[in-house]
Amino acid sequence: MTEVVFYIFGGIAVLSAAMCVLQRTAVGALIWLVQVMLSLGVVFVTLQGQFIGLIQILVYAGAIMVLFLFIIMLLNLGRVGTDIRGPAGVAAMLVLAGLIAAELGGLMAYSPARIGREVRASAGVVEAGAAFAGGRAAQEATAARGVVGGVAPPLFDTYLVPFEITSLLLLAAIVGTVVLAKRKV
Amino acid sequence: MTLPLLAVQVVDEARAAGPGPAVRLAWLAIALPLLGFIVNGWLAMVRPRARVLVSLIGPGVLLAAFVVAVAIFLELRASPPEAPFIVSLWPWIHVGELRIDLALQIDQLAAVMLLVVTGVGSLIHLYSVGYMGEDPGYARYFAYLNLFIVFMLVLVLGSSFPVLFIGWEGVGLCSYLLIGFWFNDKANADAGKKAFLANRVGDFGFLIAMFLLWQTVGSLDFVTVFSRAPGALTTGAATWITLFLLLGCTGKSAQIPLYVWLPDAMAGPTPVSALIHAATMVTAGVYLVARTSLLFAMAPLSGEVTAGIGALTALFAATIGLRQYDIKRVLAYSTISQLGYMFLGVGVGAYSAGLFHLVTHAFFKALLFLGSGSVIQAMHHAYHATHSQEDAQDMRNMGGLKRWLPVTCGLMWIATLAIAGVPPFAGFFSKDEILAAAFARGAEQPVYYLFYGLGLVAAFVTAVYMGRLMAMTFHGESRVGEAERPHLRDAPAIMTGPLLVLGLLTIVGGAINLPEFAGGHEALEHWLEPVTRAATSLHPIVRLAGTTEKGLIGAAVAIGVLGLWVGFRAALGRPILPAREAPPDTGLARLVYRKYYVDEIYGALIVRPLVWLSEKVLWRAVDQALVDGVLVNGGVVGSRWLGRLGSRLQSGQLGLYVLLFLVGAIWVLHTILR
Amino acid sequence: MLLGPALGLSAILFTIGVAGVLLRRNAIVLFMCVELMLNAVNLAFVALAQVYGVGAYLIAFFVMTVAAAEAAVGLAIILAVFRHNQSIDLQNINLLHG
């Protein structure tokens, strides 16, 4: 069941991404991108990342995309011609995208068995199934404390410093945005 | 400067006595004139008008060097060495197996040359005080003259071919500097250049000979070369080496084919002509052949070539002298001709005879040149006083000068008799010995009879042109203008003094090598025996029978006297017009006057093609088009093109930047995932 | 489980994002494609949480936060550029031209 959901919403995500890239107007592209975000949120849930999935919908689709929309409307571009590049650009795109696809295609070969083999080889662990110990621990934590409770302890424990730094980063971003976007009066 | 290695090596261990103090101080003879050069040169730059100081230092260092020369001679005479003394001054080139030191070789031959150079040199220096006294370049003149003596002494005293070559080149340089002394006149500068370039061709031959010697014998200092040569050199190799050396000699000693610079060299001051182009530098070639006599004896063909060139040059130059009007030109061709005699002598194998003629020629030719200098100076003064633009050196403007310059006239007659071969003057003995040696060799190789014949005819022509010279200059009706005559006067004592000394030497000089039948001991020949022994042992000098020799002598004297009379009479037989009125020569006379157009031939065959090559090919094509255009400018254009290509990366287009960024990212990804 | 297909999905989305970056001239749409790429990477992290545990979720969390900050600042920059050039077409923004 989970897999079916994964494949359905994965497919929707891919289609939406393609539509996003090929849209003529900015708003259209935005809408499709929102769709990608939502689909990805569902995909996260199917991957047992419920917390992240919801955060994705709340923050990404709900805040960041709205911000994009604000800016598009603020610029008030009107009906401009197509802003997709000409043949030269398309050719370059095909070449490079093809290269990336080829590279990343290699990642598809990483089936769980292979990952298990490699983790075992690198960590020197002998018993089978030890590769996925981390994942099992995560699931146990979720089962014990709930979705949010599973991720909270590491956040305020092991990853406390990045947490604080991220808050500083957000502060800097706010100040920077205000300064940059102000009208010079 | 210290001389740390003032070592004197005795080469012949069997000799009991070592070198004496004078030999050990031989380097002084070079150092003193060098000091003179430095001081005079400094004065020339700082205080060109310092006459007294220069007059003291210039001749002074020469006289001091002469004292050293005499001391060396006396020491060598007291105990004549069988092998040369080597005075080593400085280790110069020590590379691999090549060891050349700056060293002097003192032996009998060097002593003779040393005496001639310093002795005649001193006299000419003294003469120059009077002759060049009013010249603005007085100090510079003596600086160059001293420098010349330095190099000439290095040449004759050097103990190896490279050291000799230093002197060889150095005298060429000083010759250039002194010929073009009055360089503000382009013709003088051109004459200097011509001398230098003609000598360079000869130097090329010298260098090739040195390389061949190194290759075959493996050494370049005289003692080692001559001890190894009989074993190491084939006749062929010796022939090649000596022929190339001969090429060098024809350049330095003005023989065919490289003699063309000497007549032009008369553009320099007359004492320079006397010293460099009569007594010393031009004799360097003869010295070289004498020094390398062993090699020449090993290559009979070279001996023949040397003698042949000498004989031919003697006659050729003498004929040109018949029709020259410039008094110095006549003497220049006379020098070339007499040098031919010397080469005939050493080519035949009579090395002492050739050197004998070298010494006597130094005396009477210096006397002739200095005497002509007095004449020219007198004419100059006269023309200067009357503001005339006539040529003071043209004999057609002279005549009857005996009345005003009696001392000079008398002394020059002494020299004329000597050069014509009239006994008992010096030239008679030396020239006669050379001709006799040539005749004697003819018995085994008939070609030498031909050389003897050429030499005999040349003797006749010599007497003719000298008689002509004396007649046109000192005798007959005077063509000097009436206005100039009161201003003519003989030379001052400082100039006549050296002339007197030279006249004396010319008279008694024959005593150096008086042959037996005249009651002498052939002193020079015996003196030089240790040096020439190696060569003469390979090819003994043939002795003529007494009657044959007397016959030859009689013929030579008769020809000499006859020639003088013919020249004298012929010159005075027809009225001579002064230079500005004289009609140009025609026909054969013009051919001879124009030196058989040899200079023009050289110009067309050699000089013009070289200049064309230089200008059209090497300059236009190679330098301008290739080096400048392709290499230098091409480099510029290329780098600018590359630069422009590179600057297209910085277009400011964000899309391009993103593209390049992604390319890099893909590459990194690829590297990591591999 | 779903590790392989999830990573494959991530790769596809990333490629599409790259294509979009190379294809579009509009600065805002370009930015959106960059966000698409970021999301693809997030997906990869989440998928790998099965192997590496909770830490992977937290990395994705942080990425999201930084992306938000970056989006804000980036859009402010685009706003400023638009005010200067009156255009956000990438071809017209070439003041770095040298």
Side-chain angles (χ1 to χ4, degrees):
Chain A
M1 187 59 196
T2 320
E3 297 187 12
V4 175
V5 173
F6 170 83
Y7 282 115
I8 293 175
F9 280 92
I12 295 177
V14 171
L15 280 173
S16 309
M19 289 306 290
C20 163
V21 168
L22 294 174
Q23 277 296 302
R24 280 188 213 284
T25 58
V27 176
L30 183 83
I31 299 298
W32 282 109
L33 191 62
V34 170
Q35 174 58 43
V36 173
M37 303 293 175
L38 293 173
S39 319
L40 277 184
V42 177
V43 167
F44 286 168
V45 171
T46 61
L47 290 174
Q48 310 298 321
Q50 298 88 343
F51 176 67
I52 298 300
L54 283 169
I55 293 295
Q56 162 95 346
I57 295 176
L58 274 178
V59 173
Y60 242 119
I64 298 179
M65 290 299 118
V66 173
L67 179 62
F68 268 90
L69 195 57
F70 275 156
I71 298 300
I72 292 175
M73 289 186 166
L74 204 55
L75 293 185
N76 205 6
L77 291 171
R79 274 195 197 279
V80 289
T82 175
D83 61 357
I84 299 184
R85 289 184 188 274
V90 172
M93 178 277 286
L94 285 173
V95 168
L96 283 174
L99 282 172
I100 292 222
E103 292 291 337
L104 297 179
L107 286 178
M108 299 269 269
Y110 270 78
S111 63
R114 187 149 163 210
I115 287 193
R117 245 180 290 134
E118 286 190 9
V119 169
R120 249 177 288 143
S122 65
V125 180
V126 179
E127 43 167 288
F132 295 90
R136 273 199 298 280
Q139 281 184 312
E140 280 154 23
T142 315
R145 297 205 204 95
V147 172
V148 177
V151 300
L155 182 61
F156 293 102
D157 189 341
T158 321
Y159 297 98
L160 180 61
V161 176
F163 183 73
E164 300 295 341
I165 293 178
T166 309
S167 66
L168 277 177
L169 179 72
L170 286 171
L171 177 64
I174 293 171
V175 173
T177 308
V178 170
V179 168
L180 281 170
K182 231 172 61 152
R183 276 197 197 275
K184 309 286 188 267
V185 177
Chain B
M1 175 186 99
T2 57
L3 298 169
L5 291 186
L6 203 52
V8 180
Q9 300 146 25
V10 174
V11 180
D12 179 11
E13 288 86 15
R15 188 157 11 118
V23 171
R24 259 194 280 260
L25 288 176
W27 56 270
L28 258 185
I30 299 181
L32 285 166
L34 185 62
L35 182 68
F37 161 68
I38 292 171
V39 174
N40 285 330
W42 175 72
L43 282 173
M45 288 192 284
V46 166
R47 225 163 14 125
R49 302 221 163 264
R51 290 228 18 238
V52 175
L53 200 56
V54 171
S55 311
L56 282 177
I57 293 181
V61 292
L62 245 295
L63 286 166
F66 180 63
V67 169
V68 174
V70 170
I72 292 178
F73 170 72
L74 289 176
E75 220 175 76
L76 288 182
R77 209 169 87 118
S79 60
E82 289 298 310
F85 295 119
I86 309 286
V87 180
S88 183
L89 297 174
W90 196 266
W92 181 25
I93 298 180
H94 285 188
V95 175
E97 293 191 2
L98 181 63
R99 303 188 74 80
I100 307 172
D101 289 342
L102 260 172
L104 306 176
Q105 176 169 321
I106 313 291
D107 60 3
Q108 290 87 342
L109 175 60
V112 171
M113 297 299 297
L114 189 56
L115 281 173
V116 170
V117 172
T118 52
V120 178
S122 309
L123 290 172
I124 295 179
H125 273 70
L126 284 169
Y127 180 92
S128 302
V129 172
Y131 191 82
M132 299 292 288
E134 275 142 42
D135 195 291
Y138 190 60
R140 179 166 62 102
Y141 172 82
F142 270 105
Y144 287 161
L145 215 59
N146 281 347
L147 186 66
F148 167 79
I149 297 288
V150 170
F151 280 125
M152 190 68 205
L153 289 179
V154 169
L155 198 159
V156 299
L157 292 180
S159 76
S160 58
F161 282 95
V163 177
L164 193 152
F165 195 62
I166 296 177
W168 189 271
E169 296 275 337
V171 295
L173 168 71
C174 293
S175 172
Y176 162 78
L177 289 172
L178 284 164
I179 292 173
F181 185 71
W182 293 307
F183 52 78
N184 291 310
D185 186 354
K186 185 169 189 287
N188 299 339
D190 286 346
K193 260 193 302 188
K194 185 172 175 178
F196 198 79
L197 289 173
N199 265 271
R200 274 323 254 166
V201 178
D203 295 345
F204 161 74
F206 194 109
L207 283 168
I208 300 284
M210 269 207 285
F211 296 151
L212 285 174
L213 266 177
W214 168 249
Q215 196 186 41
T216 50
V217 177
S219 170
L220 283 174
D221 64 282
F222 292 136
V223 175
T224 317
V225 167
F226 296 143
S227 63
R228 287 191 201 168
L233 284 179
T234 62
T235 310
T239 309
W240 278 114
I241 291 174
T242 46
L243 281 178
F244 276 116
L245 283 176
L246 186 62
L247 181 63
C249 295
T250 59
K252 188 67 73 186
S253 298
Q255 298 294 292
I256 292 173
L258 293 172
Y259 69 90
V260 290
W261 61 271
L262 190 51
D264 285 44
M266 297 299 113
T270 308
V272 168
S273 306
L275 180 62
I276 299 184
H277 307 126
T280 45
M281 182 179 99
V282 292
T283 57
V286 183
Y287 164 75
L288 182 66
V289 176
R291 180 57 85 193
T292 57
S293 52
L294 176 61
L295 299 177
F296 276 88
M298 286 170 70
L301 179 65
S302 304
E304 267 173 48
V305 174
T306 310
I309 287 182
L312 194 62
T313 310
L315 181 56
F316 182 74
T319 57
I320 300 183
L322 277 177
R323 258 286 173 214
Q324 299 299 312
Y325 297 116
D326 184 324
I327 191 174
K328 284 180 73 174
R329 287 279 161 121
V330 179
L331 293 176
Y333 284 105
S334 169
T335 306
I336 300 176
S337 172
Q338 295 298 307
L339 286 166
Y341 273 109
M342 294 180 220
F343 274 95
L344 176 60
V346 294
V348 165
Y351 303 105
S352 54
L355 281 164
F356 186 23
H357 199 60
L358 190 156
V359 176
T360 59
H361 175 263
F363 296 152
F364 59 69
K365 192 46 71 62
L367 178 53
L368 279 172
F369 265 112
L370 294 183
S372 73
S374 299
V375 169
I376 294 170
Q377 199 188 47
M379 297 289 289
H380 250 306
H381 273 149
Y383 284 146
H384 192 69
T386 61
H387 303 286
S388 168
Q389 293 298 319
E390 300 279 338
D391 185 1
Q393 294 181 216
D394 196 321
M395 289 193 292
R396 294 174 291 192
N397 290 339
M398 303 178 192
L401 289 181
K402 181 176 65 174
R403 190 155 62 136
W404 297 279
L405 284 72
V407 180
T408 310
C409 175
L411 288 169
M412 283 190 73
W413 264 113
I414 295 178
T416 304
L417 290 174
I419 196 174
V422 174
F425 296 103
F428 158 67
F429 292 107
S430 55
K431 186 184 293 195
D432 175 73
E433 213 175 302
I434 290 176
L435 290 175
F439 191 85
R441 265 301 265 282
E444 40 176 295
Q445 266 160 292
V447 70
Y448 281 100
Y449 282 134
L450 172 65
F451 297 156
Y452 168 77
L454 289 173
L456 199 60
V457 176
F460 178 69
V461 178
T462 304
V464 172
Y465 69 65
M466 283 312 295
R468 170 178 176 266
L469 183 144
M470 295 304 285
M472 281 180 81
T473 309
F474 291 108
H475 298 270
E477 287 258 351
S478 179
R479 295 171 293 284
V480 177
E482 288 296 334
E484 283 86 14
R485 287 189 201 184
H487 300 278
L488 289 174
R489 69 181 70 87
D490 212 337
I494 185 113
M495 286 163 64
T496 321
L499 287 181
L500 283 170
V501 176
L502 285 170
L504 193 64
L505 287 169
T506 311
I507 295 174
V508 304
I512 293 178
N513 205 20
L514 268 182
E516 253 131 49
F517 69 82
H521 308 285
E522 300 204 342
L524 186 63
E525 192 169 330
H526 290 303
W527 172 256
L528 287 176
E529 207 195 341
V531 180
T532 59
R533 181 182 304 142
T536 49
S537 64
L538 281 180
H539 221 115
I541 303 177
V542 181
R543 293 266 161 220
L544 290 172
T547 45
T548 323
E549 199 164 347
K550 290 208 176 66
L552 289 177
I553 290 175
V557 173
I559 283 186
V561 173
L562 180 66
L564 276 178
W565 186 80
V566 167
F568 201 85
R569 278 274 152 258
L572 293 180
R574 244 173 315 149
I576 308 172
L577 293 167
R580 61 174 180 282
E581 298 170 23
D585 289 305
T586 51
L588 184 65
R590 185 160 85 171
L591 180 68
V592 175
Y593 173 63
R594 294 301 209 129
K595 336 157 229 138
Y596 303 106
Y597 294 106
V598 170
D599 275 322
E600 285 77 3
I601 295 174
Y602 278 0
L605 278 182
I606 299 171
V607 175
R608 268 220 292 270
L610 268 179
V611 170
W612 174 86
L613 180 73
S614 209
E615 194 175 334
K616 293 286 179 294
V617 175
L618 292 179
W619 183 42
R620 290 263 159 74
V622 175
D623 192 42
Q624 275 189 338
L626 185 64
V627 174
D628 277 351
V630 173
L631 292 178
V632 173
N633 284 345
V636 170
V637 167
S639 69
R640 208 182 284 158
W641 175 78
L642 268 179
R644 240 179 251 133
L645 203 60
S647 80
R648 292 201 5 215
L649 272 176
Q650 304 235 315
S651 58
Q653 300 280 346
L654 287 173
L656 181 66
Y657 293 171
V658 168
L659 185 79
L660 294 173
F661 190 86
L662 276 170
V663 170
I666 292 173
W667 186 68
V668 171
L669 198 62
H670 176 72
T671 315
I672 294 180
L673 286 180
R674 208 159 353 132
Chain C
M1 286 81 59
L2 283 171
L3 185 58
L7 291 177
L9 179 64
S10 162
I12 294 174
L13 286 175
F14 189 83
T15 310
I16 295 178
V18 168
V21 164
L22 291 173
L23 211 54
R24 309 295 302 233
R25 283 208 315 262
N26 188 327
I28 298 186
V29 177
L30 195 86
F31 208 358
M32 287 198 279
C33 296
V34 174
E35 294 292 331
L36 180 57
M37 288 202 286
L38 275 169
N39 272 281
V41 172
N42 259 2
L43 174 59
F45 275 122
V46 169
L48 285 171
Q50 298 165 37
V51 180
Y52 293 107
V54 185
Y57 293 132
L58 287 175
I59 292 179
F61 176 75
F62 284 123
V63 169
M64 228 177 279
T65 318
V66 173
E70 164 214 348
V73 177
L75 287 171
I77 292 177
I78 291 180
L79 201 59
V81 169
F82 177 76
R83 284 212 192 105
H84 187 271
N85 280 8
Q86 302 306 318
S87 157
I88 51 172
D89 189 334
L90 240 52
Q91 287 195 331
N92 299 340
I93 307 175
N94 59 354
L95 283 178
L96 282 175
H97 165 72

